[in-house]
Amino acid sequence: MISIYLLGAPQIEVDSVPVQVDTRKAIAILAYLAVGGERHTRDAIAALLWEDYDAVHARGALRRTLSALNKALQGQSLHIEGGLIGLDLTQGVWVDVVEFNRLLASCASHGHSTQQVCPQCVEPLQKAIALYRGDFLAGFSLRDSVAFDDWQFFQTETLRRSLSGALERLVQVCAVQEDYPSAIAYAQRWLSLDSLHEPAHRRLMSLYALSGQRNAALRQYHECARILDKELGVPPLEETTRLYLEIKEKRDDRSALPQKAGAEPTLGWESQPENTPTSISVPEKPGDEIRSQPGLTSLPFIGREAEWRSLQQAYHKARSEGYFVVLEGEAGIGKTRLAEEYLAYARSQGAEIIQTRCFEGEDNLAYAPFVDGLAKAIEQTSRPDWHISVPHTLLSEAARLLPTLSRLRNDLPVPAPSESPGAQTRFFAGLSEVIWSLCAGQSPGVLFIDDIHWADEASLDLLTYLVRRLRAHPLFILATWRNEDLDSGHRLRRLLADAQRNGYGELLSLSRLDARSIEALVQASSTDFGTESTALSQKLYQETEGLPFFVVEYLAALPANIEQVAPQEWGMPYSVRDLLRSRLVQIDETGWQLLQAAAVIGRSFDFDTLRATSGRAEDETISTLEALINRGLIREIQSAAQGISPESSRPPGYDFSHEKLREFVYGETSLARKRLLHLRAAEALVSHSRSLRDQIAHFGQISYHYKPGGRPWERAVYFLRAGEQARAVYANIEALGHFQAALAMGHPDIALVNEAIGDMQLLLGHYRPAINSFKAALAQLNLPRDIARLKHKLGKVYHRLGEWEHAEACYQICLEALESDTNLPLQAGVYADWSLTAYQRRQIERAGQMAEKALALAETADDALSLAQAHNILGILSRNRNELQQAASHLEQSLSLANRLAHPGARIAALNNLCLVYADQGDLNRAIEYAQQALDLCASLGDRHREAALHNNLADLYHLLGRREDSMTHLKQAVAIFSEVDGMELRESETGGEQRQTHLEIWKLTEW
């Protein structure tokens, strides 16, 4: 019999005798297999626990660890068959986590909801909490496995929530049975899980009062107030204080126990009425009533007839080839309303729709709108086989951004490394195939992106890729932007202009409504204003100046007794702020708190995040949210697709009816409550991101909330993770921004963050800032090998600037630091780079000696990358001596090694230098082919300086072929990027107080 204890410190017993396992990784494997009860592939477990190893070494380490684990278990229950590994839980294996979950699940078979308790529930609940010795794998961690750490965190949080629910239910049943000592003991343990959980504090206060311990109840309130003030700097909620005052005033203690419907789980054996939502109406002053008009949101579409005809014509064109239309106008002009009306029309014609939007302040969240839109479309599509037409390799590429795609097919291949040649092109091609397949149907599909002026750069890159391939796909891309938020040179305007020139793009500029249109809206509204409608229309036109959003909102706020009130006495608000305040006047305290929580989240929100952030009970949140939806303040983002599966597990989404409403609520929230709510939002998103770790947007959101939540250190951690995610999908600008934010927020690993910043600045051509970043990282390092690595990077930056002496000084220091080190590959790489610097200084003989030294070290180390670097520089030197055959031989070897490693930098260098050799031999077509391959790879990597050099080399090659137009095209691109790199160098230097001349070597780059 094998007993596995994972709740608390991990412990293993075989026949009741504790056994020791040699390695922590073996315990990790056992826990991973025991909790899920599933079999996993060797590769999956190896990748989970040895993520820094290559495949061969990871599998070797796994093999040794499995042998040690099997020995500790005395050869029992561990099944290793072929490529699968599992733990047989049916053959003499007992796991406390499995038993804990089984006991809780058994309560669901008693014929009542999960929030109720019956007499049969008591025993399994008590047994379950008795098993909970401590948190999952308490005190156990794997420092070198972030993936396992994430999995452990997720399991811990899930089990803690289950324990919390079990304790809460036991508190309720013991209170009903008037077993107050037991109820208090369970409540104290419930509170110990989260000392900031006010409902637990209130429950404990109530129990003390019911048991006659009035002073203990009052002390519990003061303890609650002390903890909230110390940890969050906020007072208790009003309802907590109200309960305290009730107890203090010696009211009937039983009335102090909360009895609100939905606040607590009910007892299954009691006869209780159904919970029904209630509403509290606040009397309004005479003549100051606010009329609720749900029908306003469905007012007839007036004043947009010309735009509607243009959209129909554009959609008709999309039947033969794709089409791109932009609705332009100021905020509140009705762009979204027009678009949604047309989406409804397109859907009625059988079109498949992908709908998404961008949000202000989220232009640093790479691909966020595409992640949201595609995730909803995939779930809502009525065609379960939509993905059949997507090639396996491209579906695997798209799964980088949308992990749920990997569950659609079991045979998806592992995508190529993100640094491999053409990776970004494949990544975009995969996402595009998913979009085209989702939109395929009897009518052209529609991709709608609202407020695209707030899109991030990475999303704009993907949109550009899609638009430029519209002719081959019947896709209708519809977008909205605010004209005041886009300058004349913005890339979106250039993209649209290019589409217009080629006949598949159109701009529709929306103007304000005229007086006649507003009068038609007034007459079409659900209220009969009688003879006052004309005066009302004129007044509305004066107040709103024809802005549709203001028109609708003013109509919603009109007094119900308008016929008895003179127009000048309407009490109509004169600003949007007054209007929004009038719409919120009847919201009760719970509704206001829910609105504040939603406003702090900062964009569309889901139910779980809202509930966790607000701190309200689930039933209470549902009923209050429904009331807010009914009042038109919040809208539910419902599926518009047909045939949605009722079993869909994706929670519904919600949004404010307008962004200005959210801004108003946020502004009316006190600083103390903002801090509390931001912290709760961050912690809710942390829990959510542990299960959605591949969704880039979550890390940026978490980092946003931690600063106002009073936890800047956590914010820095998530900024770093956001940067790493952005870098993995080539969003270099976004990655740099995240890394810089992590540094500004005080991330403790200053060296790591500065080095990451320097890496991004190097790729973007920001050389002086890169030098400063690497120097800042160096100042934090002590180990010779770390110092050598950073000095090597510094030397390469100086080399790109043409500051040869500084580069050689860095290489010298690097080799001195490695003098007693056995890291031969790094030494070989330094000699190869030093040789290139010597070559640039025309010290040819010295360069050759260093290149031979690099080759010798690389061969001794048998390291493929350093061998590729050594052969590359030897190829450059051979070409300089006009030994073209030997040069080609060295460079072909370098390219072969780089291809085998899938190393983009080494491959770019070898391709470029081979291009120059073939050009010298007169084979210009082959030279162009190699240069173009290098350029494509370089562009995907984002190395701006070398991208410019490759454009320049291609311009020379096309000039030799007599293709002047192609030559000028590449030359212009080269000059633009060279100027960007050199200009950035000068601008940053001046900001730092240094005056420097233009670096001519930046413009001279041809080989490397």
Coordinates of all heavy atoms in Angstrom, one line a residue, residues 466-536:
L466 N -2.7 40.9 -43.0 CA -4.0 40.5 -43.4 C -4.5 41.4 -44.6 O -5.0 40.9 -45.6 CB -5.0 40.5 -42.3 CG -5.0 39.4 -41.3 CD1 -5.8 39.8 -40.0 CD2 -5.5 38.1 -41.9
V467 N -4.4 42.7 -44.4 CA -4.9 43.6 -45.4 C -4.2 43.4 -46.8 O -4.8 43.4 -47.8 CB -4.8 45.1 -44.9 CG1 -5.2 46.1 -46.1 CG2 -5.8 45.3 -43.8
R468 N -2.9 43.2 -46.7 CA -2.1 43.1 -47.9 C -2.4 41.8 -48.7 O -1.9 41.6 -49.8 CB -0.6 43.3 -47.6 CG -0.3 44.7 -47.3 CD 1.1 44.9 -46.9 NE 1.4 46.3 -46.7 CZ 2.6 46.8 -46.2 NH1 3.6 45.9 -45.9 NH2 2.8 48.1 -46.0
R469 N -3.1 40.9 -48.1 CA -3.4 39.6 -48.7 C -4.9 39.5 -48.9 O -5.4 38.4 -49.2 CB -2.9 38.5 -47.8 CG -1.4 38.4 -47.9 CD -0.8 37.7 -46.7 NE 0.7 37.6 -46.8 CZ 1.5 38.6 -46.6 NH1 1.0 39.7 -46.2 NH2 2.8 38.4 -46.7
L470 N -5.7 40.6 -48.9 CA -7.1 40.5 -49.1 C -7.5 40.1 -50.5 O -8.6 39.4 -50.6 CB -7.7 41.9 -48.8 CG -8.0 42.2 -47.3 CD1 -8.5 43.6 -47.2 CD2 -8.9 41.2 -46.7
R471 N -6.8 40.4 -51.5 CA -7.2 40.0 -52.8 C -7.4 38.5 -53.0 O -8.2 38.1 -53.8 CB -6.2 40.5 -53.9 CG -6.3 42.0 -54.1 CD -5.5 42.4 -55.4 NE -5.6 43.8 -55.6 CZ -6.6 44.5 -56.2 NH1 -7.7 43.8 -56.5 NH2 -6.5 45.8 -56.4
A472 N -6.7 37.7 -52.2 CA -6.8 36.3 -52.3 C -7.9 35.7 -51.4 O -8.1 34.4 -51.5 CB -5.5 35.6 -52.1
H473 N -8.6 36.5 -50.6 CA -9.5 35.9 -49.6 C -10.7 36.8 -49.5 O -10.6 38.0 -49.3 CB -8.8 35.8 -48.3 CG -7.6 35.0 -48.3 ND1 -7.7 33.6 -48.1 CD2 -6.3 35.3 -48.4 CE1 -6.5 33.1 -48.2 NE2 -5.6 34.1 -48.3
P474 N -11.9 36.3 -49.6 CA -13.2 37.0 -49.5 C -13.5 37.4 -48.1 O -14.4 36.9 -47.5 CB -14.2 36.1 -50.1 CG -13.7 34.7 -49.8 CD -12.2 34.8 -49.9
L475 N -12.7 38.3 -47.5 CA -12.9 38.7 -46.1 C -13.2 40.2 -46.1 O -12.5 41.0 -46.8 CB -11.6 38.4 -45.3 CG -11.6 38.9 -43.9 CD1 -12.6 38.1 -43.0 CD2 -10.2 38.7 -43.2
F476 N -14.2 40.6 -45.3 CA -14.5 42.0 -45.2 C -14.0 42.5 -43.8 O -14.5 42.1 -42.8 CB -16.1 42.1 -45.2 CG -16.5 43.6 -45.2 CD1 -16.1 44.4 -46.2 CD2 -17.4 44.0 -44.3 CE1 -16.6 45.8 -46.3 CE2 -17.9 45.3 -44.3 CZ -17.5 46.2 -45.3
I477 N -13.0 43.3 -43.9 CA -12.4 43.9 -42.7 C -13.0 45.3 -42.4 O -12.8 46.2 -43.3 CB -10.8 44.0 -42.8 CG1 -10.2 42.6 -43.0 CG2 -10.3 44.6 -41.5 CD1 -8.7 42.6 -43.1
L478 N -13.6 45.4 -41.3 CA -14.3 46.7 -40.9 C -13.6 47.2 -39.6 O -13.5 46.4 -38.7 CB -15.8 46.4 -40.7 CG -16.6 47.7 -40.3 CD1 -16.6 48.7 -41.4 CD2 -18.0 47.2 -40.0
A479 N -13.2 48.4 -39.6 CA -12.6 49.0 -38.4 C -13.1 50.4 -38.2 O -13.6 51.1 -39.1 CB -11.0 49.1 -38.6
T480 N -13.0 50.9 -36.9 CA -13.3 52.2 -36.6 C -12.1 52.9 -35.9 O -11.3 52.3 -35.2 CB -14.5 52.3 -35.6 OG1 -14.1 51.8 -34.3 CG2 -15.7 51.5 -36.1
W481 N -12.0 54.2 -36.2 CA -11.0 55.0 -35.5 C -11.4 56.4 -35.3 O -12.3 56.9 -36.0 CB -9.6 54.9 -36.2 CG -9.4 55.6 -37.5 CD1 -9.9 56.9 -37.8 CD2 -8.7 55.2 -38.6 NE1 -9.5 57.2 -39.1 CE2 -8.8 56.2 -39.6 CE3 -8.0 54.0 -38.9 CZ2 -8.2 56.1 -40.9 CZ3 -7.4 53.9 -40.2 CH2 -7.5 54.9 -41.1
R482 N -10.9 57.0 -34.3 CA -11.1 58.4 -34.0 C -10.1 59.3 -34.8 O -8.9 59.1 -34.7 CB -11.0 58.8 -32.5 CG -12.0 58.1 -31.7 CD -11.9 58.6 -30.2 NE -12.7 57.9 -29.3 CZ -12.7 58.0 -28.0 NH1 -11.8 58.8 -27.4 NH2 -13.6 57.3 -27.2
N483 N -10.6 60.1 -35.7 CA -9.7 60.9 -36.5 C -8.8 61.8 -35.7 O -7.7 62.1 -36.1 CB -10.5 61.7 -37.5 CG -11.6 62.5 -36.9 OD1 -12.4 62.0 -36.0 ND2 -11.8 63.8 -37.3
E484 N -9.3 62.3 -34.5 CA -8.4 63.2 -33.7 C -7.3 62.4 -33.1 O -6.3 63.1 -32.6 CB -9.3 63.9 -32.7 CG -9.9 63.0 -31.6 CD -11.3 62.6 -31.9 OE1 -11.6 62.5 -33.1 OE2 -12.0 62.3 -31.0
D485 N -7.3 61.1 -33.0 CA -6.3 60.4 -32.4 C -5.3 59.8 -33.3 O -4.4 59.0 -32.9 CB -6.9 59.2 -31.5 CG -7.6 59.7 -30.3 OD1 -7.2 60.8 -29.8 OD2 -8.5 59.0 -29.8
L486 N -5.4 60.1 -34.6 CA -4.5 59.6 -35.6 C -3.9 60.8 -36.4 O -4.7 61.5 -37.1 CB -5.1 58.6 -36.6 CG -5.5 57.2 -36.1 CD1 -6.2 56.4 -37.2 CD2 -4.3 56.5 -35.5
D487 N -2.6 61.0 -36.3 CA -2.0 62.0 -37.1 C -1.9 61.6 -38.6 O -2.2 60.5 -39.0 CB -0.6 62.4 -36.6 CG 0.4 61.2 -36.6 OD1 0.5 60.5 -37.6 OD2 1.0 61.0 -35.5
S488 N -1.6 62.6 -39.4 CA -1.6 62.3 -40.9 C -0.7 61.3 -41.4 O -0.9 60.6 -42.4 CB -1.4 63.6 -41.7 OG -0.1 64.2 -41.3
G489 N 0.4 61.1 -40.6 CA 1.4 60.1 -41.0 C 1.3 58.8 -40.3 O 2.2 57.9 -40.5
H490 N 0.3 58.5 -39.6 CA 0.1 57.3 -38.8 C 0.1 56.1 -39.8 O -0.5 56.2 -40.9 CB -1.1 57.3 -38.0 CG -1.2 56.2 -36.9 ND1 -1.6 54.9 -37.2 CD2 -0.9 56.2 -35.6 CE1 -1.5 54.2 -36.1 NE2 -1.2 55.0 -35.1
R491 N 0.6 55.0 -39.4 CA 0.8 53.8 -40.2 C -0.6 53.2 -40.6 O -0.7 52.7 -41.7 CB 1.6 52.7 -39.5 CG 1.0 52.1 -38.3 CD 1.9 51.1 -37.6 NE 2.0 49.9 -38.5 CZ 2.6 48.8 -38.1 NH1 3.2 48.7 -36.9 NH2 2.7 47.8 -38.9
L492 N -1.6 53.5 -39.8 CA -3.0 53.0 -40.2 C -3.5 53.8 -41.4 O -4.1 53.2 -42.3 CB -3.9 53.2 -39.0 CG -4.0 52.0 -38.0 CD1 -4.8 52.4 -36.8 CD2 -4.5 50.7 -38.6
R493 N -3.2 55.1 -41.5 CA -3.6 55.9 -42.6 C -2.8 55.5 -43.9 O -3.4 55.4 -45.0 CB -3.4 57.4 -42.3 CG -4.3 57.9 -41.2 CD -4.2 59.5 -41.2 NE -5.0 60.0 -40.1 CZ -6.3 60.2 -40.2 NH1 -7.0 59.9 -41.2 NH2 -7.0 60.8 -39.1
R494 N -1.6 55.1 -43.7 CA -0.8 54.7 -44.8 C -1.3 53.3 -45.3 O -1.4 53.1 -46.5 CB 0.7 54.6 -44.5 CG 1.3 55.9 -44.1 CD 2.9 55.8 -44.2 NE 3.4 54.8 -43.3 CZ 3.8 55.0 -42.1 NH1 3.6 56.2 -41.5 NH2 4.3 54.0 -41.4
L495 N -1.7 52.5 -44.4 CA -2.2 51.1 -44.8 C -3.5 51.3 -45.6 O -3.7 50.7 -46.6 CB -2.4 50.3 -43.5 CG -3.1 48.9 -43.7 CD1 -2.1 48.0 -44.6 CD2 -3.3 48.2 -42.4
L496 N -4.4 52.2 -45.1 CA -5.7 52.4 -45.8 C -5.4 53.0 -47.1 O -6.1 52.6 -48.1 CB -6.6 53.2 -44.9 CG -7.9 53.6 -45.6 CD1 -8.8 52.4 -45.9 CD2 -8.7 54.6 -44.7
A497 N -4.5 54.0 -47.2 CA -4.2 54.7 -48.5 C -3.7 53.7 -49.5 O -4.1 53.7 -50.7 CB -3.2 55.8 -48.3
D498 N -2.9 52.8 -49.1 CA -2.3 51.7 -50.0 C -3.5 50.8 -50.5 O -3.5 50.5 -51.7 CB -1.3 50.9 -49.2 CG -0.6 49.9 -50.1 OD1 0.0 50.3 -51.1 OD2 -0.7 48.7 -49.8
A499 N -4.4 50.5 -49.6 CA -5.5 49.6 -50.0 C -6.4 50.4 -51.0 O -7.0 49.8 -51.9 CB -6.3 49.2 -48.8
Q500 N -6.6 51.7 -50.7 CA -7.5 52.5 -51.6 C -6.8 52.6 -53.0 O -7.5 52.5 -54.0 CB -7.7 53.9 -51.0 CG -8.6 53.9 -49.8 CD -8.7 55.3 -49.2 OE1 -7.6 55.9 -48.8 NE2 -9.9 55.8 -49.1
R501 N -5.5 52.8 -53.1 CA -4.8 52.9 -54.4 C -5.0 51.6 -55.1 O -5.1 51.6 -56.4 CB -3.3 53.2 -54.2 CG -3.1 54.7 -53.8 CD -1.6 54.9 -54.0 NE -0.8 54.1 -53.1 CZ -0.4 54.4 -51.9 NH1 -0.9 55.6 -51.3 NH2 0.3 53.6 -51.1
N502 N -5.0 50.5 -54.4 CA -5.1 49.2 -55.1 C -6.5 48.7 -55.3 O -6.8 47.6 -55.7 CB -4.3 48.1 -54.3 CG -2.8 48.4 -54.4 OD1 -2.2 48.0 -55.5 ND2 -2.2 49.0 -53.4
G503 N -7.5 49.5 -54.9 CA -8.9 49.2 -55.2 C -9.6 48.3 -54.3 O -10.7 47.8 -54.6
Y504 N -9.1 48.1 -53.0 CA -9.8 47.3 -52.1 C -9.9 47.9 -50.7 O -9.9 47.2 -49.7 CB -9.2 45.9 -52.0 CG -7.7 45.8 -51.6 CD1 -7.3 45.8 -50.3 CD2 -6.7 45.8 -52.6 CE1 -6.0 45.7 -49.9 CE2 -5.4 45.8 -52.2 CZ -5.0 45.7 -50.9 OH -3.7 45.7 -50.5
G505 N -9.9 49.3 -50.7 CA -10.0 50.0 -49.4 C -10.9 51.2 -49.5 O -11.1 51.8 -50.6
E506 N -11.5 51.6 -48.4 CA -12.4 52.8 -48.5 C -12.5 53.4 -47.1 O -12.5 52.7 -46.1 CB -13.8 52.3 -48.9 CG -14.8 53.5 -49.2 CD -16.1 53.0 -49.9 OE1 -16.1 51.8 -50.3 OE2 -17.0 53.8 -50.0
L507 N -12.6 54.7 -47.0 CA -12.7 55.5 -45.8 C -14.1 56.1 -45.8 O -14.5 56.9 -46.7 CB -11.7 56.5 -45.7 CG -11.8 57.5 -44.4 CD1 -11.5 56.7 -43.2 CD2 -10.7 58.6 -44.5
L508 N -14.9 55.9 -44.7 CA -16.2 56.5 -44.5 C -16.1 57.4 -43.3 O -16.0 56.9 -42.2 CB -17.3 55.5 -44.3 CG -17.5 54.5 -45.5 CD1 -18.6 53.5 -45.1 CD2 -17.8 55.2 -46.8
S509 N -16.2 58.7 -43.5 CA -16.1 59.7 -42.5 C -17.5 60.1 -42.0 O -18.3 60.5 -42.8 CB -15.3 61.0 -42.9 OG -14.0 60.6 -43.3
L510 N -17.8 59.9 -40.7 CA -19.1 60.1 -40.2 C -19.2 61.5 -39.7 O -18.3 62.0 -38.9 CB -19.4 59.1 -39.1 CG -20.0 57.8 -39.5 CD1 -19.1 57.0 -40.4 CD2 -20.4 57.0 -38.2
S511 N -20.2 62.2 -40.0 CA -20.4 63.6 -39.5 C -21.5 63.6 -38.5 O -22.2 62.6 -38.2 CB -20.8 64.5 -40.7 OG -22.0 64.0 -41.3
R512 N -21.7 64.7 -37.8 CA -22.7 64.8 -36.8 C -24.1 64.9 -37.4 O -24.3 65.2 -38.6 CB -22.5 66.1 -35.9 CG -21.2 66.0 -35.1 CD -21.1 67.2 -34.2 NE -19.8 67.1 -33.4 CZ -19.5 68.0 -32.4 NH1 -20.3 69.0 -32.2 NH2 -18.4 67.8 -31.7
L513 N -25.1 64.5 -36.6 CA -26.5 64.5 -37.1 C -27.0 65.9 -37.2 O -26.7 66.8 -36.4 CB -27.4 63.7 -36.1 CG -27.0 62.3 -35.8 CD1 -28.0 61.7 -34.8 CD2 -27.0 61.5 -37.1
D514 N -27.9 66.1 -38.2 CA -28.5 67.5 -38.3 C -29.8 67.5 -37.5 O -30.2 66.5 -36.9 CB -28.7 67.8 -39.8 CG -29.6 66.7 -40.5 OD1 -30.4 66.0 -39.8 OD2 -29.5 66.6 -41.7
A515 N -30.4 68.7 -37.5 CA -31.5 68.9 -36.6 C -32.7 68.0 -37.0 O -33.4 67.5 -36.2 CB -32.0 70.4 -36.7
R516 N -32.9 67.8 -38.3 CA -34.0 66.9 -38.8 C -33.8 65.5 -38.3 O -34.8 64.8 -38.0 CB -34.1 67.0 -40.3 CG -34.7 68.3 -40.8 CD -35.0 68.3 -42.2 NE -33.8 68.2 -43.0 CZ -33.8 68.1 -44.3 NH1 -34.9 68.2 -45.0 NH2 -32.6 68.0 -45.0
S517 N -32.6 65.0 -38.3 CA -32.3 63.6 -37.8 C -32.6 63.5 -36.4 O -33.2 62.5 -35.9 CB -30.9 63.3 -38.1 OG -30.6 63.2 -39.5
I518 N -32.2 64.5 -35.6 CA -32.5 64.5 -34.1 C -34.0 64.5 -33.9 O -34.6 63.8 -33.0 CB -31.8 65.6 -33.4 CG1 -30.3 65.4 -33.5 CG2 -32.3 65.7 -32.0 CD1 -29.5 66.4 -32.8
E519 N -34.7 65.3 -34.7 CA -36.2 65.4 -34.5 C -36.8 64.0 -34.8 O -37.7 63.5 -34.2 CB -36.8 66.5 -35.4 CG -38.3 66.6 -35.2 CD -38.8 67.8 -36.0 OE1 -38.0 68.5 -36.7 OE2 -40.0 68.1 -35.9
A520 N -36.3 63.3 -35.9 CA -36.8 62.0 -36.2 C -36.5 61.0 -35.1 O -37.3 60.1 -34.8 CB -36.1 61.5 -37.5
L521 N -35.4 61.2 -34.4 CA -35.1 60.3 -33.3 C -36.0 60.5 -32.1 O -36.5 59.6 -31.5 CB -33.6 60.5 -32.8 CG -32.5 59.9 -33.7 CD1 -31.2 60.4 -33.2 CD2 -32.6 58.4 -33.6
V522 N -36.3 61.8 -31.9 CA -37.2 62.1 -30.8 C -38.6 61.5 -31.1 O -39.3 60.9 -30.2 CB -37.3 63.6 -30.6 CG1 -38.4 64.0 -29.6 CG2 -36.0 64.1 -30.1
Q523 N -39.1 61.7 -32.3 CA -40.4 61.2 -32.7 C -40.5 59.7 -32.6 O -41.5 59.1 -32.4 CB -40.8 61.7 -34.0 CG -41.0 63.2 -34.1 CD -41.3 63.8 -35.5 OE1 -41.1 63.0 -36.5 NE2 -41.7 65.0 -35.6
A524 N -39.3 59.0 -32.9 CA -39.3 57.5 -32.9 C -39.1 56.9 -31.6 O -39.1 55.7 -31.4 CB -38.2 57.1 -33.9
S525 N -38.8 57.7 -30.5 CA -38.5 57.2 -29.2 C -39.8 56.6 -28.6 O -40.9 56.9 -29.1 CB -38.0 58.2 -28.3 OG -38.9 59.3 -28.0
S526 N -39.7 55.8 -27.6 CA -40.8 55.0 -27.0 C -41.8 55.9 -26.3 O -42.9 55.5 -26.0 CB -40.3 53.9 -26.1 OG -39.5 54.5 -25.1
T527 N -41.4 57.1 -26.0 CA -42.3 58.1 -25.2 C -42.9 59.0 -26.2 O -42.3 59.6 -27.1 CB -41.5 58.8 -24.1 OG1 -40.9 57.9 -23.2 CG2 -42.4 59.8 -23.4
D528 N -44.2 59.3 -26.0 CA -44.9 60.3 -26.8 C -44.8 61.6 -26.2 O -45.4 61.9 -25.2 CB -46.4 59.8 -27.0 CG -47.2 60.8 -27.9 OD1 -46.5 61.7 -28.5 OD2 -48.4 60.7 -27.9
F529 N -44.0 62.5 -26.8 CA -43.8 63.8 -26.2 C -44.8 64.8 -26.7 O -44.8 66.0 -26.3 CB -42.4 64.3 -26.6 CG -41.3 63.6 -25.9 CD1 -40.5 62.7 -26.7 CD2 -41.0 63.7 -24.6 CE1 -39.5 62.0 -26.1 CE2 -40.0 62.9 -24.0 CZ -39.2 62.1 -24.7
G530 N -45.7 64.4 -27.6 CA -46.8 65.2 -28.0 C -46.3 66.5 -28.7 O -45.4 66.5 -29.5
T531 N -47.0 67.6 -28.3 CA -46.6 68.9 -29.0 C -45.3 69.4 -28.6 O -44.8 70.4 -29.2 CB -47.7 70.0 -28.6 OG1 -47.7 70.1 -27.2 CG2 -49.1 69.6 -29.1
E532 N -44.7 68.8 -27.6 CA -43.3 69.3 -27.1 C -42.2 68.7 -27.9 O -41.1 69.0 -27.7 CB -43.2 68.9 -25.6 CG -44.2 69.5 -24.7 CD -44.0 71.1 -24.6 OE1 -42.8 71.5 -24.8 OE2 -45.0 71.8 -24.4
S533 N -42.5 67.8 -28.8 CA -41.4 67.1 -29.5 C -40.5 68.0 -30.3 O -39.3 67.8 -30.4 CB -42.0 65.9 -30.4 OG -42.8 66.5 -31.4
T534 N -41.1 69.0 -31.0 CA -40.3 69.9 -31.8 C -39.4 70.8 -30.9 O -38.2 70.9 -31.2 CB -41.3 70.8 -32.6 OG1 -42.1 70.0 -33.4 CG2 -40.4 71.8 -33.5
A535 N -40.0 71.3 -29.8 CA -39.1 72.1 -28.9 C -38.0 71.2 -28.3 O -36.9 71.7 -28.1 CB -40.0 72.7 -27.8
L536 N -38.4 70.0 -28.0 CA -37.4 69.1 -27.4 C -36.3 68.8 -28.4 O -35.1 68.8 -28.1 CB -38.1 67.7 -27.0 CG -37.1 66.6 -26.7 CD1 -36.3 66.9 -25.4 CD2 -38.0 65.3 -26.4

